[in-house]
Amino acid sequence: MHTYTEEKIEAYQNENKNRARLLIRCPDQPGIVATVSQFLYEHGANIVTSDQYTLDPEGGQFFMRIEFDCPGLRDKKADLEKDFTPIAEKFNMHYDVRYVHELKNVAIFASKEPHCLLELLWEWESGDLMANIAVVVSNHEVVRDMVESRGIPFHYIPANRDIRSQAEAQQKEILEQYDVDLVILARYMQILTPDFVEEYKNQIINIHHSFLPAFIGANPYERAFNRGVKMIGATSHYVTNDLDEGPIIEQDIGRVDHRDDVAAMKKIGQAIERSVLARAVKWHLEDRIIVHGNKTIVF
Amino acid sequence: MHTYTEEKIEAYQNENKNRARLLIRCPDQPGIVATVSQFLYEHGANIVTSDQYTLDPEGGQFFMRIEFDCPGLRDKKADLEKDFTPIAEKFNMHYDVRYVHELKNVAIFASKEPHCLLELLWEWESGDLMANIAVVVSNHEVVRDMVESRGIPFHYIPANRDIRSQAEAQQKEILEQYDVDLVILARYMQILTPDFVEEYKNQIINIHHSFLPAFIGANPYERAFNRGVKMIGATSHYVTNDLDEGPIIEQDIGRVDHRDDVAAMKKIGQAIERSVLARAVKWHLEDRIIVHGNKTIVF
Amino acid sequence: MHTYTEEKIEAYQNENKNRARLLIRCPDQPGIVATVSQFLYEHGANIVTSDQYTLDPEGGQFFMRIEFDCPGLRDKKADLEKDFTPIAEKFNMHYDVRYVHELKNVAIFASKEPHCLLELLWEWESGDLMANIAVVVSNHEVVRDMVESRGIPFHYIPANRDIRSQAEAQQKEILEQYDVDLVILARYMQILTPDFVEEYKNQIINIHHSFLPAFIGANPYERAFNRGVKMIGATSHYVTNDLDEGPIIEQDIGRVDHRDDVAAMKKIGQAIERSVLARAVKWHLEDRIIVHGNKTIVF
Amino acid sequence: MHTYTEEKIEAYQNENKNRARLLIRCPDQPGIVATVSQFLYEHGANIVTSDQYTLDPEGGQFFMRIEFDCPGLRDKKADLEKDFTPIAEKFNMHYDVRYVHELKNVAIFASKEPHCLLELLWEWESGDLMANIAVVVSNHEVVRDMVESRGIPFHYIPANRDIRSQAEAQQKEILEQYDVDLVILARYMQILTPDFVEEYKNQIINIHHSFLPAFIGANPYERAFNRGVKMIGATSHYVTNDLDEGPIIEQDIGRVDHRDDVAAMKKIGQAIERSVLARAVKWHLEDRIIVHGNKTIVF
């Protein structure tokens, strides 16, 4: 017997069994769109949505995301990929083909504050976050129940500044075991080592509880309160080795006023963190994001 | 010597002298994007932005808007249009080519309340509304000064229920005289006859001071107040012969609470009306809107 | 051992053991604020927040909400209420005193679509909705698990047009059994009889899935889609015997565009319904709402 | 004959001839509200709106703003102020009484970019900004016409880093000549000396084109673009001698995406700057703001 979530996921995979996404990045030059759309047409694919962007029109970079339906996709994958190779070479493309029915394996890292973890679990349960939540890792036991009660494996791995490398060794083992494609830091509050970050480049999404670049680092709500701001925010970004400096995916803000003390700001802020992180994660899962330098293109 | 506005417009026209927009509507079938993009490539055009939408993927309607740069556009226009004809015929297209440097001629119809008219004049003065505001027509003298002081012709044409046909005869003459492409009803408050509406089909934009379809017709703020709503809105739409039932282009809302009486609601509402109308007009001027039945596709 | 939710609730009750709210409604006349604030001062109470509103300054209605702290409140309740009686009589007041630590007993009526029920349960679990969720009633079994797994009693009571009175008889019995103060229709989809509504006047909160008064009645998303609106909304209101015509507590909207079909609108709308209903319920629980005729004053 | 603006202002002054505002700040203690409301009652005043706030309930600061109507206010002013003195002394109050019909004299300092100046002039012209715009000062001639054409005196005073003290000497003379109560820096772009700032403490409002404390100082849009933020903002604050560090009055933001280059961000940002500054100025004119340390309480 299937759970509500499993049924939603199966229905999604079935609906999208012929759907794929093509992400392209290359130097701009005439004829790219014509060539790619001709290629798809000849392979019996129908373009569902198409987005493109040229950074600096003259001699710049070209970015494209095409979502297409191709009847009998499963059997055509090998041919599609093989036949696209000469096109990619001609235009000097970096590209990816993603098949929508192949869900990404996701690991969520959490700490003591559960609101961001819970938001992701709720979205997943209701069939609004199409991924395989493979595992949750935390340096606190407090969230174990809410994870395991949903049938998701939970691993308690103590972590702090002093035992960072041991912790990361265990974490990496788990990520490999579950073949994880995406790590979500759901208010994990621990800094990762450069090695770890490098190994999962553009595959780790963090939520920072401020409107970056304001209030980088610790205690942003306290500092927002002390500064007397009239709005607080949250920022979701890919993790790099510069603290809170990675490519921003999404930001949002909420109003506060003089009546809001630090506790009230945290409450208001948590709702913003939840929705900002959930949006960023969904866009990643839908292959909408291309990272370019320290910025994101979100189609 | 040029005014600030004239300078802005000239700069815009110069920057866009090689830019055009292609709007397409046809039955969906494979190969449209490939064919059109190949056509543009062969004519030396570079796609700047491209949007498409398919209504009902199987056997439905296909809509597309492409903005492209084509060096030497002025000299190539005739060839481009001629060479596109067989493509349009093959795919059974309705299509339009619009040249960005050719500004549309706009007539604004106003009544006593000047806020919507003023918003359009301000946007135009600051170089944010790229059109030729050819003429302002009103059934009241009150706005004459604010129009003429900006060097725009003003025509006072009395209008009310009893003299509708005479008024419209005069108005049509003026629209022809100024070769008007777009009529904006900036809170004009008079109903137009079916003949008039038919002659300017999808070329008359109205602003209604409610969140349609709530409060169709007269006195929407009074009725919103009496109903005790917590938000009021405004709706911009193309005019058809069903009152306030034409294709909606844009809507927005603002919060009100129990402290707001009808006068306060009007004040809050006016700000919404201004921005909703200005957005709708800009999208029309940028050829972003395709009307399909009683709906709009806004790219 | 206590659950997370129980701990949050206990902490809240303890923090607010000396806090009360005074809600007043009376004909406007000079001296009300002076008299009431003098009364509170003499009884050792400290005003924490105070809001007032006069409908029609000359000869109109006066509304006030005062939140105050009074050390030793439990022992002073009787005196406070007794001593306030002559003041209430002098000014011809309708008034209520509410003690913050006395949580309201809430019943939630649900049907097949669980999103609004789930939102309330999540808010309650995380300690953000301070009430005693006494019971959930549904005419479908589908939500039983999500209710009972949280330790909340669930009652399945079949209900439809033909068995309305039997169903309501059972429902009333349950409401009495749990001493319910507030009934929340979380997308319950059944119409209540005038008797039922009368018995719980201003104590039944509904969520309607449109921006009222647009799309009163059935299938609002289908109708919104057919009209081609650019925004959809949700409205929370007290239930009266005029369908979707009761006093509005809160409304909100979300943007849609031509790409959104009815299913997409429902998805977008569900998020709006959830947050609008949750806000309305919280305001009711915080005694912020005074109903006046067919409108609400929300302090 | 009166202009539209003059008529609006006269109507406002006439409607509010009996209306005043009382702003209070004092150490918190029991009985303040009771005493003040009793005082107003005894002097025949009717409270229209009342807001209060206590910073740190135990032993903290109490802030209050009361707007009241008092028939025959002009003749009672002296008595009201005299009779309030002992109350102010008893509670150790800082307080102000402001008479609504006495408009504040405002000076606007502008530079080359006119959008913020224009917004204030438009609001004023339409009767939405109730002040006496006494004078506009600029270090550029470019805005002279738009000021003088509205009948407002314009003074061109060259200003830059090297001639700061001479420029300020001339500016101060003008501020005295026009008896200015409020200086608005409408994108003035020059730093003021500590002397100047001290002389007009909490009377100089600036607009900074970023969401402070992000991007303090020069070129915020360039820096926002380089950081790849997904939202840009604007902040209005009172000027202190710490650059962009004064008490924040209002902030707002707008969305940007990867398609927006620096020029597009400036355009989007200008609309935000305009509305943020206009709101901050109106709140100041309506005596809604109390400065406390480096923060504002906005009632």
Side-chain angles (χ1 to χ4, degrees), chain D:
Chain D
M1 202 194 112
H2 287 340
T3 64
Y4 182 82
T5 312
E6 284 166 348
E7 275 175 23
K8 289 275 181 181
I9 285 176
E10 274 185 25
Y12 176 81
Q13 287 179 309
N14 200 46
E15 276 165 30
N16 289 285
K17 65 176 188 292
N18 290 324
R19 184 159 293 189
R21 295 161 189 151
L22 179 57
L23 295 172
I24 292 169
R25 189 176 125 190
C26 63
D28 192 27
Q29 63 169 283
I32 305 171
V33 180
T35 305
V36 173
S37 51
Q38 184 65 25
F39 166 83
L40 290 172
Y41 173 55
E42 285 168 359
H43 286 76
N46 198 36
I47 297 175
V48 178
T49 57
S50 170
D51 291 280
Q52 60 179 88
Y53 169 63
T54 308
L55 182 62
D56 180 14
E58 299 167 42
Q61 283 286 308
F62 176 84
F63 304 87
M64 192 172 201
R65 177 188 185 272
I66 296 184
E67 192 161 323
F68 61 90
D69 280 334
C70 186
L73 182 63
R74 253 165 234 258
D75 301 331
K76 289 184 173 174
K77 278 182 188 182
D79 278 358
L80 269 174
E81 297 190 16
K82 183 170 65 65
D83 296 353
F84 194 68
T85 310
I87 292 175
E89 281 170 3
K90 180 182 169 195
F91 289 97
N92 203 12
M93 289 176 178
H94 290 82
Y95 75 101
D96 274 300
V97 192
R98 309 271 170 78
Y99 301 100
V100 176
H101 67 276
E102 296 176 1
L103 297 191
K104 290 180 178 61
N105 294 324
V106 172
I108 305 175
F109 282 25
S111 189
K112 267 184 296 190
E113 290 199 61
H115 58 282
C116 284
L117 168 63
L118 270 175
E119 180 75 12
L120 297 172
L121 295 179
W122 289 338
E123 291 271 357
W124 174 78
E125 270 190 304
S126 65
D128 289 333
L129 193 136
M130 282 298 157
N132 172 31
I133 300 191
V135 62
V136 172
V137 169
S138 179
N139 56 340
H140 291 276
E141 284 282 5
V142 68
V143 297
R144 179 186 287 275
D145 279 0
M146 44 186 101
V147 173
E148 292 186 341
S149 69
R150 284 161 170 100
I152 298 169
F154 174 83
H155 291 264
Y156 167 62
I157 302 179
N160 60 53
R161 190 177 304 213
D162 303 324
I163 55 168
R164 191 153 290 161
S165 53
Q166 300 104 288
E168 288 193 357
Q170 288 179 268
Q171 290 165 348
K172 278 188 195 177
E173 206 171 298
I174 287 168
L175 297 185
E176 277 159 34
Q177 176 190 338
Y178 289 99
D179 196 17
V180 164
D181 303 299
L182 173 68
V183 177
I184 303 171
L185 306 185
R187 295 293 307 275
Y188 176 56
M189 312 304 282
Q190 296 291 320
I191 292 174
L192 302 172
T193 67
D195 272 5
F196 193 105
V197 170
E198 193 53 42
E199 195 166 330
Y200 288 89
K201 196 179 174 185
N202 298 337
Q203 291 178 288
I204 311 175
I205 294 179
N206 185 41
I207 178 75
H208 183 71
H209 40 317
S210 83
F211 187 86
L212 289 174
F215 309 123
I216 289 175
N219 300 322
Y221 291 126
E222 282 80 355
R223 289 151 67 203
F225 175 78
N226 290 334
R227 179 62 188 92
V229 297
K230 298 299 185 185
M231 288 176 151
I232 55 173
T235 304
S236 191
H237 62 94
Y238 287 110
V239 174
T240 62
N241 284 311
D242 297 310
L243 182 64
D244 299 331
E245 295 281 9
I248 293 172
I249 303 169
E250 173 64 335
Q251 308 188 280
D252 211 346
I253 55 89
R255 291 207 169 264
V256 293
D257 69 23
H258 58 269
R259 285 172 194 87
D260 297 304
D261 57 14
V262 174
M265 284 191 174
K266 276 186 184 169
K267 200 95 171 170
I268 294 167
Q270 286 180 352
I272 307 168
E273 295 166 36
R274 286 164 48 179
S275 63
V276 166
L277 177 61
R279 283 204 293 279
V281 166
K282 281 183 195 176
W283 294 342
H284 181 96
L285 295 175
E286 293 168 359
D287 307 305
R288 296 187 173 281
I289 311 175
I290 299 178
V291 177
H292 179 63
N294 203 41
K295 296 186 186 182
T296 61
I297 289 144
V298 181
F299 281 127

Side-chain angles (χ1 to χ4, degrees), chain B residues 92-144:
Chain B
N92 204 12
M93 290 176 178
H94 290 83
Y95 75 103
D96 274 299
V97 191
R98 309 271 169 78
Y99 301 99
V100 176
H101 68 274
E102 296 177 1
L103 297 190
K104 290 181 179 61
N105 293 325
V106 171
I108 305 175
F109 282 25
S111 188
K112 266 185 296 190
E113 291 198 62
H115 57 283
C116 284
L117 169 63
L118 270 175
E119 180 75 12
L120 296 172
L121 295 179
W122 289 337
E123 291 270 358
W124 174 78
E125 269 190 305
S126 66
D128 289 333
L129 193 137
M130 282 299 156
N132 171 33
I133 300 192
V135 62
V136 173
V137 170
S138 179
N139 57 339
H140 292 275
E141 284 282 5
V142 69
V143 298
R144 179 186 288 275

Side-chain angles (χ1 to χ4, degrees), chain C residues 101-172:
Chain C
H101 67 275
E102 295 177 0
L103 297 191
K104 290 180 180 61
N105 293 324
V106 172
I108 305 176
F109 282 25
S111 189
K112 267 185 297 190
E113 290 199 63
H115 58 282
C116 284
L117 169 63
L118 269 175
E119 180 75 11
L120 297 171
L121 295 179
W122 289 338
E123 291 271 357
W124 173 79
E125 270 190 304
S126 65
D128 289 334
L129 193 136
M130 282 298 156
N132 172 32
I133 299 191
V135 61
V136 173
V137 170
S138 179
N139 57 339
H140 292 274
E141 284 283 5
V142 68
V143 297
R144 179 186 288 274
D145 279 0
M146 43 186 100
V147 173
E148 292 187 339
S149 68
R150 284 160 170 99
I152 298 168
F154 175 83
H155 291 265
Y156 167 63
I157 302 179
N160 59 53
R161 190 177 305 214
D162 303 325
I163 54 168
R164 192 153 289 160
S165 53
Q166 300 104 287
E168 288 193 357
Q170 287 179 269
Q171 289 164 348
K172 279 187 193 177

Side-chain angles (χ1 to χ4, degrees), chain B residues 16-76:
Chain B
N16 290 284
K17 64 178 189 290
N18 290 323
R19 184 160 292 189
R21 296 163 187 149
L22 179 58
L23 295 172
I24 292 168
R25 189 176 125 192
C26 63
D28 192 28
Q29 61 168 282
I32 305 172
V33 179
T35 305
V36 173
S37 51
Q38 184 65 24
F39 165 82
L40 290 172
Y41 173 55
E42 287 169 358
H43 287 75
N46 199 35
I47 297 175
V48 178
T49 57
S50 170
D51 290 281
Q52 60 179 86
Y53 168 64
T54 308
L55 182 61
D56 180 14
E58 299 167 41
Q61 282 286 308
F62 177 84
F63 304 86
M64 193 172 202
R65 177 188 186 271
I66 295 184
E67 193 160 322
F68 61 91
D69 280 334
C70 186
L73 182 63
R74 252 167 234 256
D75 300 331
K76 289 182 173 174

